[in-house]
Amino acid sequence: MPRSFKVCFEVEKPYQSLYSDVKKAFVEMGYKVVEEKENYLVFEKGSKIATYIGLTGWNLVYRKVQ
């Protein structure tokens, strides 16, 4: 069963104005955009196979951010 982490940030300006900044930050960290809609983004990084066989290196562990 996959683990889920929910990260919440309280922001003063509407989230739409942060959309491009969030996208840029995750792409710079090596994530790839998997899905992009008007109100959300989905990024992936790592390897599903490496995670499945039990490797624990942070660069190898598969993670998905929505």
Side-chain angles (χ1 to χ4, degrees):
M1 183 170 186
R3 294 184 210 169
S4 297
F5 298 95
K6 187 178 227 180
V7 180
C8 301
F9 296 99
E10 196 171 316
V11 293
E12 293 183 15
K13 51 185 178 174
Y15 72 91
Q16 290 290 0
S17 63
L18 299 174
Y19 191 90
S20 62
D21 293 336
V22 169
K23 182 178 177 181
K24 181 182 174 190
F26 275 96
V27 169
E28 287 178 356
M29 288 188 290
Y31 286 80
K32 67 178 183 177
V33 178
V34 178
E35 189 176 350
E36 185 172 358
K37 299 241 177 154
E38 183 180 306
N39 58 347
Y40 72 93
L41 293 162
V42 179
F43 302 95
E44 286 182 341
K45 185 176 182 179
S47 167
K48 290 179 184 178
I49 294 170
T51 303
Y52 180 75
I53 62 173
L55 298 177
T56 58
W58 185 244
N59 289 329
L60 296 174
V61 173
Y62 174 77
R63 48 215 183 265
K64 187 173 189 177
V65 179
Q66 180 177 356

Short mmCIF file of all heavy atoms in Angstrom, two decimals:
data_model
loop_
_atom_site.label_atom_id
_atom_site.label_comp_id
_atom_site.label_asym_id
_atom_site.label_seq_id
_atom_site.Cartn_x
_atom_site.Cartn_y
_atom_site.Cartn_z
N MET A 1 0.85 -1.18 0.00
CA MET A 1 0.00 0.00 0.00
C MET A 1 0.89 1.24 0.00
O MET A 1 1.78 1.38 0.84
CB MET A 1 -0.88 -0.03 1.24
CG MET A 1 -1.85 1.09 1.33
SD MET A 1 -2.97 0.69 2.68
CE MET A 1 -4.11 1.94 2.56
N PRO A 2 0.68 2.16 -0.93
CA PRO A 2 1.53 3.35 -1.00
C PRO A 2 1.28 4.29 0.17
O PRO A 2 0.17 4.36 0.70
CB PRO A 2 1.14 3.99 -2.32
CG PRO A 2 -0.21 3.47 -2.62
CD PRO A 2 -0.31 2.13 -1.98
N ARG A 3 2.31 4.98 0.55
CA ARG A 3 2.18 6.00 1.59
C ARG A 3 1.71 7.29 0.96
O ARG A 3 2.09 7.61 -0.16
CB ARG A 3 3.52 6.25 2.26
CG ARG A 3 4.01 5.10 3.03
CD ARG A 3 5.29 5.50 3.72
NE ARG A 3 6.11 4.31 3.84
CZ ARG A 3 7.36 4.31 4.19
NH1 ARG A 3 7.96 5.42 4.46
NH2 ARG A 3 8.03 3.20 4.28
N SER A 4 0.92 8.03 1.68
CA SER A 4 0.46 9.33 1.20
C SER A 4 0.83 10.39 2.21
O SER A 4 0.66 10.20 3.40
CB SER A 4 -1.06 9.33 1.02
OG SER A 4 -1.44 8.41 0.04
N PHE A 5 1.36 11.48 1.71
CA PHE A 5 1.70 12.61 2.54
C PHE A 5 0.94 13.81 2.01
O PHE A 5 0.92 14.04 0.81
CB PHE A 5 3.20 12.90 2.50
CG PHE A 5 4.04 11.77 3.01
CD1 PHE A 5 4.57 10.84 2.14
CD2 PHE A 5 4.27 11.63 4.36
CE1 PHE A 5 5.34 9.80 2.60
CE2 PHE A 5 5.04 10.59 4.85
CZ PHE A 5 5.57 9.66 3.96
N LYS A 6 0.34 14.56 2.88
CA LYS A 6 -0.38 15.76 2.46
C LYS A 6 0.38 16.96 3.00
O LYS A 6 0.57 17.09 4.20
CB LYS A 6 -1.80 15.73 3.01
CG LYS A 6 -2.66 16.84 2.48
CD LYS A 6 -4.06 16.71 3.03
CE LYS A 6 -5.04 16.87 1.90
NZ LYS A 6 -6.41 16.75 2.36
N VAL A 7 0.82 17.80 2.10
CA VAL A 7 1.55 19.00 2.48
C VAL A 7 0.66 20.20 2.17
O VAL A 7 0.20 20.35 1.04
CB VAL A 7 2.88 19.12 1.72
CG1 VAL A 7 3.62 20.38 2.13
CG2 VAL A 7 3.73 17.88 1.96
N CYS A 8 0.40 21.00 3.16
CA CYS A 8 -0.48 22.16 2.97
C CYS A 8 0.29 23.44 3.31
O CYS A 8 1.01 23.49 4.29
CB CYS A 8 -1.69 22.06 3.89
SG CYS A 8 -2.67 20.59 3.60
N PHE A 9 0.10 24.42 2.49
CA PHE A 9 0.71 25.72 2.71
C PHE A 9 -0.39 26.76 2.79
O PHE A 9 -1.31 26.75 1.97
CB PHE A 9 1.66 26.09 1.57
CG PHE A 9 2.84 25.18 1.45
CD1 PHE A 9 2.85 24.16 0.52
CD2 PHE A 9 3.94 25.34 2.27
CE1 PHE A 9 3.92 23.32 0.39
CE2 PHE A 9 5.03 24.50 2.15
CZ PHE A 9 5.02 23.49 1.21
N GLU A 10 -0.28 27.63 3.74
CA GLU A 10 -1.23 28.72 3.84
C GLU A 10 -0.65 29.91 3.10
O GLU A 10 0.45 30.37 3.41
CB GLU A 10 -1.45 29.07 5.32
CG GLU A 10 -2.67 29.92 5.55
CD GLU A 10 -2.97 30.05 7.04
OE1 GLU A 10 -2.91 29.05 7.76
OE2 GLU A 10 -3.25 31.18 7.45
N VAL A 11 -1.34 30.37 2.09
CA VAL A 11 -0.84 31.48 1.28
C VAL A 11 -1.85 32.61 1.31
O VAL A 11 -3.04 32.41 1.45
CB VAL A 11 -0.58 31.05 -0.18
CG1 VAL A 11 0.56 30.06 -0.24
CG2 VAL A 11 -1.81 30.46 -0.81
N GLU A 12 -1.32 33.82 1.16
CA GLU A 12 -2.18 34.98 1.22
C GLU A 12 -2.76 35.35 -0.14
O GLU A 12 -3.84 35.88 -0.22
CB GLU A 12 -1.41 36.17 1.79
CG GLU A 12 -1.06 35.96 3.26
CD GLU A 12 -0.36 37.16 3.87
OE1 GLU A 12 -0.38 38.25 3.27
OE2 GLU A 12 0.21 36.99 4.95
N LYS A 13 -2.02 35.03 -1.22
CA LYS A 13 -2.57 35.36 -2.53
C LYS A 13 -3.19 34.10 -3.14
O LYS A 13 -2.85 32.99 -2.76
CB LYS A 13 -1.52 35.97 -3.44
CG LYS A 13 -0.22 35.23 -3.58
CD LYS A 13 0.74 36.06 -4.42
CE LYS A 13 2.07 35.35 -4.54
NZ LYS A 13 2.96 36.03 -5.45
N PRO A 14 -4.09 34.26 -4.09
CA PRO A 14 -4.74 33.09 -4.69
C PRO A 14 -3.74 32.11 -5.29
O PRO A 14 -2.71 32.52 -5.84
CB PRO A 14 -5.61 33.70 -5.78
CG PRO A 14 -5.77 35.13 -5.42
CD PRO A 14 -4.55 35.52 -4.64
N TYR A 15 -4.02 30.83 -5.16
CA TYR A 15 -3.08 29.81 -5.61
C TYR A 15 -2.81 29.88 -7.10
O TYR A 15 -1.74 29.48 -7.56
CB TYR A 15 -3.56 28.41 -5.23
CG TYR A 15 -4.75 27.91 -6.02
CD1 TYR A 15 -4.56 27.19 -7.18
CD2 TYR A 15 -6.04 28.18 -5.60
CE1 TYR A 15 -5.63 26.74 -7.92
CE2 TYR A 15 -7.12 27.74 -6.34
CZ TYR A 15 -6.92 27.00 -7.49
OH TYR A 15 -7.98 26.58 -8.21
N GLN A 16 -3.72 30.40 -7.90
CA GLN A 16 -3.51 30.49 -9.34
C GLN A 16 -2.27 31.34 -9.66
O GLN A 16 -1.58 31.07 -10.63
CB GLN A 16 -4.74 31.06 -10.05
CG GLN A 16 -5.92 30.15 -10.06
CD GLN A 16 -5.73 28.93 -10.96
OE1 GLN A 16 -4.70 28.76 -11.60
NE2 GLN A 16 -6.72 28.08 -11.01
N SER A 17 -2.01 32.33 -8.84
CA SER A 17 -0.84 33.17 -9.09
C SER A 17 0.46 32.44 -8.77
O SER A 17 1.53 32.85 -9.22
CB SER A 17 -0.94 34.46 -8.29
OG SER A 17 -0.93 34.18 -6.91
N LEU A 18 0.40 31.35 -8.01
CA LEU A 18 1.58 30.57 -7.67
C LEU A 18 1.81 29.40 -8.61
O LEU A 18 2.83 28.72 -8.54
CB LEU A 18 1.45 30.03 -6.24
CG LEU A 18 1.33 31.07 -5.14
CD1 LEU A 18 1.05 30.39 -3.82
CD2 LEU A 18 2.59 31.89 -5.06
N TYR A 19 0.88 29.13 -9.48
CA TYR A 19 0.89 27.97 -10.37
C TYR A 19 2.21 27.83 -11.12
O TYR A 19 2.85 26.78 -11.09
CB TYR A 19 -0.28 28.09 -11.34
CG TYR A 19 -0.59 26.87 -12.15
CD1 TYR A 19 -1.47 25.91 -11.68
CD2 TYR A 19 -0.02 26.69 -13.40
CE1 TYR A 19 -1.78 24.79 -12.42
CE2 TYR A 19 -0.33 25.57 -14.16
CZ TYR A 19 -1.21 24.63 -13.67
OH TYR A 19 -1.51 23.53 -14.41
N SER A 20 2.64 28.87 -11.80
CA SER A 20 3.87 28.79 -12.58
C SER A 20 5.10 28.65 -11.70
O SER A 20 6.07 27.96 -12.07
CB SER A 20 4.01 30.00 -13.51
OG SER A 20 4.09 31.18 -12.76
N ASP A 21 5.08 29.27 -10.52
CA ASP A 21 6.22 29.16 -9.60
C ASP A 21 6.36 27.73 -9.07
O ASP A 21 7.46 27.20 -8.96
CB ASP A 21 6.06 30.12 -8.42
CG ASP A 21 6.15 31.57 -8.84
OD1 ASP A 21 6.77 31.85 -9.90
OD2 ASP A 21 5.60 32.43 -8.14
N VAL A 22 5.24 27.11 -8.74
CA VAL A 22 5.25 25.73 -8.24
C VAL A 22 5.75 24.79 -9.33
O VAL A 22 6.60 23.93 -9.09
CB VAL A 22 3.84 25.31 -7.74
CG1 VAL A 22 3.78 23.82 -7.46
CG2 VAL A 22 3.45 26.11 -6.51
N LYS A 23 5.23 24.97 -10.53
CA LYS A 23 5.64 24.12 -11.65
C LYS A 23 7.14 24.25 -11.90
O LYS A 23 7.86 23.25 -12.03
CB LYS A 23 4.86 24.50 -12.91
CG LYS A 23 5.20 23.65 -14.10
CD LYS A 23 4.36 24.04 -15.31
CE LYS A 23 4.75 23.23 -16.53
NZ LYS A 23 3.98 23.62 -17.70
N LYS A 24 7.65 25.46 -11.93
CA LYS A 24 9.07 25.71 -12.16
C LYS A 24 9.93 25.07 -11.06
O LYS A 24 10.95 24.44 -11.35
CB LYS A 24 9.32 27.21 -12.22
CG LYS A 24 10.76 27.58 -12.47
CD LYS A 24 10.96 29.08 -12.48
CE LYS A 24 12.43 29.41 -12.58
NZ LYS A 24 12.69 30.82 -12.36
N ALA A 25 9.51 25.20 -9.82
CA ALA A 25 10.28 24.66 -8.69
C ALA A 25 10.39 23.14 -8.77
O ALA A 25 11.48 22.58 -8.60
CB ALA A 25 9.65 25.07 -7.37
N PHE A 26 9.28 22.45 -9.04
CA PHE A 26 9.33 20.99 -9.12
C PHE A 26 10.13 20.51 -10.32
O PHE A 26 10.86 19.53 -10.23
CB PHE A 26 7.91 20.40 -9.12
CG PHE A 26 7.37 20.23 -7.73
CD1 PHE A 26 6.54 21.19 -7.18
CD2 PHE A 26 7.68 19.11 -6.98
CE1 PHE A 26 6.05 21.04 -5.89
CE2 PHE A 26 7.19 18.95 -5.70
CZ PHE A 26 6.38 19.92 -5.15
N VAL A 27 10.02 21.18 -11.46
CA VAL A 27 10.79 20.80 -12.64
C VAL A 27 12.28 20.99 -12.36
O VAL A 27 13.10 20.15 -12.73
CB VAL A 27 10.33 21.59 -13.88
CG1 VAL A 27 11.29 21.42 -15.04
CG2 VAL A 27 8.92 21.16 -14.28
N GLU A 28 12.66 22.06 -11.68
CA GLU A 28 14.07 22.29 -11.33
C GLU A 28 14.60 21.23 -10.36
O GLU A 28 15.79 20.96 -10.33
CB GLU A 28 14.25 23.68 -10.74
CG GLU A 28 14.16 24.79 -11.77
CD GLU A 28 14.29 26.18 -11.17
OE1 GLU A 28 14.37 26.31 -9.92
OE2 GLU A 28 14.27 27.14 -11.95
N MET A 29 13.70 20.63 -9.56
CA MET A 29 14.12 19.56 -8.63
C MET A 29 14.17 18.20 -9.31
O MET A 29 14.46 17.20 -8.67
CB MET A 29 13.16 19.49 -7.44
CG MET A 29 13.30 20.65 -6.48
SD MET A 29 12.34 20.44 -4.96
CE MET A 29 10.67 20.63 -5.57
N GLY A 30 13.88 18.15 -10.61
CA GLY A 30 14.00 16.91 -11.36
C GLY A 30 12.71 16.13 -11.55
O GLY A 30 12.73 15.03 -12.07
N TYR A 31 11.60 16.67 -11.13
CA TYR A 31 10.31 16.01 -11.33
C TYR A 31 9.85 16.24 -12.77
O TYR A 31 10.19 17.24 -13.38
CB TYR A 31 9.25 16.58 -10.38
CG TYR A 31 9.40 16.14 -8.96
CD1 TYR A 31 10.32 16.74 -8.12
CD2 TYR A 31 8.62 15.13 -8.44
CE1 TYR A 31 10.47 16.35 -6.80
CE2 TYR A 31 8.75 14.73 -7.13
CZ TYR A 31 9.67 15.33 -6.31
OH TYR A 31 9.81 14.94 -5.02
N LYS A 32 9.09 15.30 -13.31
CA LYS A 32 8.51 15.51 -14.63
C LYS A 32 7.01 15.69 -14.49
O LYS A 32 6.37 15.07 -13.63
CB LYS A 32 8.85 14.38 -15.59
CG LYS A 32 8.23 13.05 -15.26
CD LYS A 32 8.59 12.03 -16.32
CE LYS A 32 7.87 10.72 -15.99
NZ LYS A 32 8.08 9.70 -16.97
N VAL A 33 6.45 16.56 -15.32
CA VAL A 33 5.02 16.83 -15.29
C VAL A 33 4.32 15.68 -15.98
O VAL A 33 4.60 15.36 -17.13
CB VAL A 33 4.69 18.17 -16.00
CG1 VAL A 33 3.20 18.41 -15.98
CG2 VAL A 33 5.43 19.32 -15.35
N VAL A 34 3.40 15.03 -15.26
CA VAL A 34 2.66 13.90 -15.79
C VAL A 34 1.27 14.34 -16.26
O VAL A 34 0.78 13.88 -17.27
CB VAL A 34 2.51 12.80 -14.72
CG1 VAL A 34 1.70 11.63 -15.25
CG2 VAL A 34 3.86 12.34 -14.26
N GLU A 35 0.68 15.24 -15.51
CA GLU A 35 -0.66 15.73 -15.84
C GLU A 35 -0.75 17.19 -15.46
O GLU A 35 -0.27 17.59 -14.41
CB GLU A 35 -1.70 14.91 -15.08
CG GLU A 35 -3.12 15.17 -15.48
CD GLU A 35 -4.10 14.25 -14.76
OE1 GLU A 35 -3.68 13.29 -14.10
OE2 GLU A 35 -5.30 14.51 -14.87
N GLU A 36 -1.36 17.96 -16.32
CA GLU A 36 -1.49 19.40 -16.06
C GLU A 36 -2.89 19.83 -16.44
O GLU A 36 -3.32 19.68 -17.56
CB GLU A 36 -0.45 20.15 -16.88
CG GLU A 36 -0.40 21.62 -16.60
CD GLU A 36 0.77 22.30 -17.29
OE1 GLU A 36 1.58 21.63 -17.96
OE2 GLU A 36 0.87 23.53 -17.15
N LYS A 37 -3.61 20.33 -15.46
CA LYS A 37 -4.97 20.84 -15.68
C LYS A 37 -5.02 22.27 -15.16
O LYS A 37 -4.07 22.78 -14.59
CB LYS A 37 -5.99 19.98 -14.95
CG LYS A 37 -6.00 18.54 -15.42
CD LYS A 37 -7.31 18.15 -15.97
CE LYS A 37 -7.21 16.73 -16.48
NZ LYS A 37 -8.44 16.05 -16.51
N GLU A 38 -6.16 22.87 -15.31
CA GLU A 38 -6.32 24.27 -14.91
C GLU A 38 -6.10 24.49 -13.41
O GLU A 38 -5.54 25.48 -12.99
CB GLU A 38 -7.72 24.75 -15.29
CG GLU A 38 -7.99 26.21 -14.98
CD GLU A 38 -9.38 26.61 -15.38
OE1 GLU A 38 -9.74 26.40 -16.55
OE2 GLU A 38 -10.09 27.14 -14.52
N ASN A 39 -6.52 23.52 -12.59
CA ASN A 39 -6.46 23.73 -11.15
C ASN A 39 -5.52 22.79 -10.40
O ASN A 39 -5.47 22.81 -9.19
CB ASN A 39 -7.86 23.62 -10.55
CG ASN A 39 -8.50 22.28 -10.83
OD1 ASN A 39 -8.03 21.52 -11.65
ND2 ASN A 39 -9.57 22.00 -10.13
N TYR A 40 -4.77 21.94 -11.12
CA TYR A 40 -3.78 21.13 -10.42
C TYR A 40 -2.72 20.59 -11.37
O TYR A 40 -2.90 20.54 -12.58
CB TYR A 40 -4.42 19.99 -9.63
CG TYR A 40 -4.99 18.85 -10.45
CD1 TYR A 40 -4.23 17.74 -10.75
CD2 TYR A 40 -6.29 18.91 -10.90
CE1 TYR A 40 -4.75 16.70 -11.49
CE2 TYR A 40 -6.82 17.88 -11.65
CZ TYR A 40 -6.06 16.77 -11.93
OH TYR A 40 -6.57 15.74 -12.67
N LEU A 41 -1.60 20.19 -10.77
CA LEU A 41 -0.47 19.61 -11.48
C LEU A 41 -0.13 18.26 -10.84
O LEU A 41 -0.31 18.09 -9.64
CB LEU A 41 0.76 20.51 -11.36
CG LEU A 41 0.71 21.86 -12.05
CD1 LEU A 41 1.78 22.78 -11.48
CD2 LEU A 41 0.91 21.69 -13.53
N VAL A 42 0.38 17.34 -11.63
CA VAL A 42 0.84 16.06 -11.11
C VAL A 42 2.27 15.85 -11.61
O VAL A 42 2.53 15.96 -12.81
CB VAL A 42 -0.06 14.89 -11.57
CG1 VAL A 42 0.45 13.57 -11.03
CG2 VAL A 42 -1.50 15.11 -11.13
N PHE A 43 3.18 15.57 -10.68
CA PHE A 43 4.59 15.36 -11.00
C PHE A 43 5.00 13.97 -10.54
O PHE A 43 4.44 13.44 -9.58
CB PHE A 43 5.48 16.36 -10.25
CG PHE A 43 5.17 17.79 -10.52
CD1 PHE A 43 4.34 18.51 -9.68
CD2 PHE A 43 5.73 18.44 -11.61
CE1 PHE A 43 4.07 19.84 -9.92
CE2 PHE A 43 5.46 19.77 -11.85
CZ PHE A 43 4.62 20.48 -11.00
N GLU A 44 6.01 13.39 -11.19
CA GLU A 44 6.59 12.12 -10.77
C GLU A 44 8.11 12.23 -10.80
O GLU A 44 8.67 12.98 -11.58
CB GLU A 44 6.19 10.99 -11.72
CG GLU A 44 4.78 10.53 -11.59
CD GLU A 44 4.47 9.37 -12.52
OE1 GLU A 44 5.21 9.14 -13.50
OE2 GLU A 44 3.47 8.70 -12.26
N LYS A 45 8.71 11.42 -9.93
CA LYS A 45 10.17 11.35 -9.89
C LYS A 45 10.56 9.99 -9.31
O LYS A 45 9.84 9.44 -8.48
CB LYS A 45 10.75 12.47 -9.02
CG LYS A 45 12.26 12.53 -9.03
CD LYS A 45 12.78 13.70 -8.25
CE LYS A 45 14.29 13.77 -8.33
NZ LYS A 45 14.82 14.91 -7.59
N GLY A 46 11.67 9.46 -9.73
CA GLY A 46 12.14 8.20 -9.20
C GLY A 46 11.77 7.03 -10.08
O GLY A 46 11.27 7.19 -11.19
N SER A 47 11.97 5.84 -9.58
CA SER A 47 11.74 4.61 -10.34
C SER A 47 10.78 3.69 -9.61
O SER A 47 11.01 3.33 -8.45
CB SER A 47 13.07 3.89 -10.56
OG SER A 47 12.86 2.59 -11.02
N LYS A 48 9.71 3.29 -10.28
CA LYS A 48 8.76 2.35 -9.69
C LYS A 48 9.43 1.00 -9.46
O LYS A 48 9.20 0.34 -8.46
CB LYS A 48 7.54 2.18 -10.59
CG LYS A 48 6.65 3.40 -10.64
CD LYS A 48 5.46 3.18 -11.56
CE LYS A 48 4.64 4.44 -11.69
NZ LYS A 48 3.51 4.26 -12.61
N ILE A 49 10.27 0.59 -10.40
CA ILE A 49 10.95 -0.72 -10.29
C ILE A 49 11.91 -0.72 -9.10
O ILE A 49 11.92 -1.66 -8.31
CB ILE A 49 11.69 -1.06 -11.60
CG1 ILE A 49 10.67 -1.26 -12.72
CG2 ILE A 49 12.57 -2.29 -11.43
CD1 ILE A 49 11.27 -1.38 -14.10
N ALA A 50 12.72 0.33 -8.97
CA ALA A 50 13.66 0.41 -7.85
C ALA A 50 12.92 0.41 -6.52
O ALA A 50 13.35 -0.22 -5.55
CB ALA A 50 14.51 1.67 -7.97
N THR A 51 11.79 1.08 -6.46
CA THR A 51 10.99 1.11 -5.23
C THR A 51 10.40 -0.26 -4.95
O THR A 51 10.40 -0.73 -3.81
CB THR A 51 9.87 2.16 -5.36
OG1 THR A 51 10.45 3.43 -5.64
CG2 THR A 51 9.06 2.27 -4.08
N TYR A 52 9.92 -0.93 -5.97
CA TYR A 52 9.31 -2.25 -5.82
C TYR A 52 10.30 -3.27 -5.29
O TYR A 52 9.96 -4.10 -4.45
CB TYR A 52 8.73 -2.71 -7.16
CG TYR A 52 8.09 -4.07 -7.09
CD1 TYR A 52 6.85 -4.24 -6.49
CD2 TYR A 52 8.73 -5.20 -7.61
CE1 TYR A 52 6.25 -5.49 -6.42
CE2 TYR A 52 8.15 -6.44 -7.54
CZ TYR A 52 6.91 -6.59 -6.94
OH TYR A 52 6.33 -7.83 -6.86
N ILE A 53 11.55 -3.23 -5.77
CA ILE A 53 12.53 -4.22 -5.30
C ILE A 53 13.15 -3.83 -3.96
O ILE A 53 13.94 -4.59 -3.42
CB ILE A 53 13.62 -4.51 -6.36
CG1 ILE A 53 14.44 -3.27 -6.68
CG2 ILE A 53 13.02 -5.10 -7.60
CD1 ILE A 53 15.62 -3.54 -7.59
N GLY A 54 12.78 -2.67 -3.44
CA GLY A 54 13.18 -2.32 -2.08
C GLY A 54 14.36 -1.39 -1.94
O GLY A 54 14.87 -1.21 -0.83
N LEU A 55 14.83 -0.80 -3.02
CA LEU A 55 15.93 0.16 -2.89
C LEU A 55 15.41 1.41 -2.17
O LEU A 55 14.28 1.83 -2.36
CB LEU A 55 16.48 0.53 -4.27
CG LEU A 55 17.09 -0.64 -5.05
CD1 LEU A 55 17.52 -0.17 -6.43
CD2 LEU A 55 18.24 -1.25 -4.31
N THR A 56 16.24 1.98 -1.33
CA THR A 56 15.78 3.09 -0.49
C THR A 56 16.49 4.40 -0.74
O THR A 56 16.27 5.36 -0.02
CB THR A 56 15.93 2.72 1.00
OG1 THR A 56 17.30 2.41 1.27
CG2 THR A 56 15.04 1.55 1.37
N GLY A 57 17.36 4.46 -1.74
CA GLY A 57 18.03 5.72 -2.05
C GLY A 57 17.01 6.77 -2.48
O GLY A 57 16.15 6.50 -3.32
N TRP A 58 17.08 7.94 -1.90
CA TRP A 58 16.06 8.97 -2.15
C TRP A 58 15.94 9.32 -3.63
O TRP A 58 14.86 9.61 -4.12
CB TRP A 58 16.35 10.22 -1.32
CG TRP A 58 15.27 11.25 -1.46
CD1 TRP A 58 15.40 12.49 -1.98
CD2 TRP A 58 13.89 11.13 -1.09
NE1 TRP A 58 14.19 13.15 -1.96
CE2 TRP A 58 13.25 12.34 -1.42
CE3 TRP A 58 13.13 10.12 -0.52
CZ2 TRP A 58 11.89 12.57 -1.19
CZ3 TRP A 58 11.78 10.34 -0.29
CH2 TRP A 58 11.18 11.56 -0.63
N ASN A 59 17.03 9.26 -4.38
CA ASN A 59 16.96 9.56 -5.81
C ASN A 59 16.30 8.45 -6.60
O ASN A 59 15.86 8.65 -7.73
CB ASN A 59 18.36 9.83 -6.37
CG ASN A 59 18.90 11.15 -5.88
OD1 ASN A 59 18.14 12.07 -5.64
ND2 ASN A 59 20.20 11.23 -5.72
N LEU A 60 16.22 7.24 -6.03
CA LEU A 60 15.63 6.10 -6.72
C LEU A 60 14.17 5.87 -6.34
O LEU A 60 13.41 5.32 -7.13
CB LEU A 60 16.43 4.83 -6.41
CG LEU A 60 17.87 4.83 -6.90
CD1 LEU A 60 18.57 3.57 -6.40
CD2 LEU A 60 17.93 4.90 -8.41
N VAL A 61 13.78 6.23 -5.14
CA VAL A 61 12.44 5.95 -4.64
C VAL A 61 11.41 6.72 -5.48
O VAL A 61 11.54 7.92 -5.70
CB VAL A 61 12.31 6.33 -3.15
CG1 VAL A 61 10.88 6.20 -2.68
CG2 VAL A 61 13.21 5.47 -2.31
N TYR A 62 10.39 6.00 -5.92
CA TYR A 62 9.34 6.61 -6.72
C TYR A 62 8.45 7.48 -5.84
O TYR A 62 8.07 7.10 -4.74
CB TYR A 62 8.48 5.51 -7.38
CG TYR A 62 7.29 6.05 -8.11
CD1 TYR A 62 7.42 6.64 -9.36
CD2 TYR A 62 6.02 5.99 -7.54
CE1 TYR A 62 6.33 7.13 -10.03
CE2 TYR A 62 4.92 6.49 -8.21
CZ TYR A 62 5.08 7.07 -9.45
OH TYR A 62 3.99 7.57 -10.11
N ARG A 63 8.12 8.66 -6.35
CA ARG A 63 7.19 9.53 -5.64
C ARG A 63 6.36 10.30 -6.65
O ARG A 63 6.81 10.62 -7.74
CB ARG A 63 7.88 10.46 -4.66
CG ARG A 63 9.05 11.18 -5.20
CD ARG A 63 10.10 11.32 -4.07
NE ARG A 63 11.23 12.08 -4.49
CZ ARG A 63 12.35 11.54 -4.96
NH1 ARG A 63 12.46 10.25 -5.09
NH2 ARG A 63 13.34 12.29 -5.31
N LYS A 64 5.15 10.55 -6.26
CA LYS A 64 4.20 11.26 -7.11
C LYS A 64 3.61 12.40 -6.29
O LYS A 64 3.20 12.22 -5.15
CB LYS A 64 3.09 10.30 -7.54
CG LYS A 64 2.14 10.84 -8.56
CD LYS A 64 1.20 9.73 -9.02
CE LYS A 64 0.37 10.15 -10.18
NZ LYS A 64 -0.47 9.04 -10.66
N VAL A 65 3.60 13.59 -6.87
CA VAL A 65 3.12 14.79 -6.18
C VAL A 65 1.97 15.37 -6.97
O VAL A 65 2.06 15.56 -8.17
CB VAL A 65 4.25 15.85 -6.07
CG1 VAL A 65 3.75 17.10 -5.38
CG2 VAL A 65 5.45 15.28 -5.36
N GLN A 66 0.87 15.61 -6.28
CA GLN A 66 -0.29 16.24 -6.93
C GLN A 66 -0.60 17.54 -6.25
O GLN A 66 -0.65 17.62 -5.06
CB GLN A 66 -1.50 15.31 -6.84
CG GLN A 66 -2.72 15.90 -7.49
CD GLN A 66 -3.91 14.96 -7.48
OE1 GLN A 66 -3.80 13.84 -7.06
NE2 GLN A 66 -5.03 15.42 -7.96
#
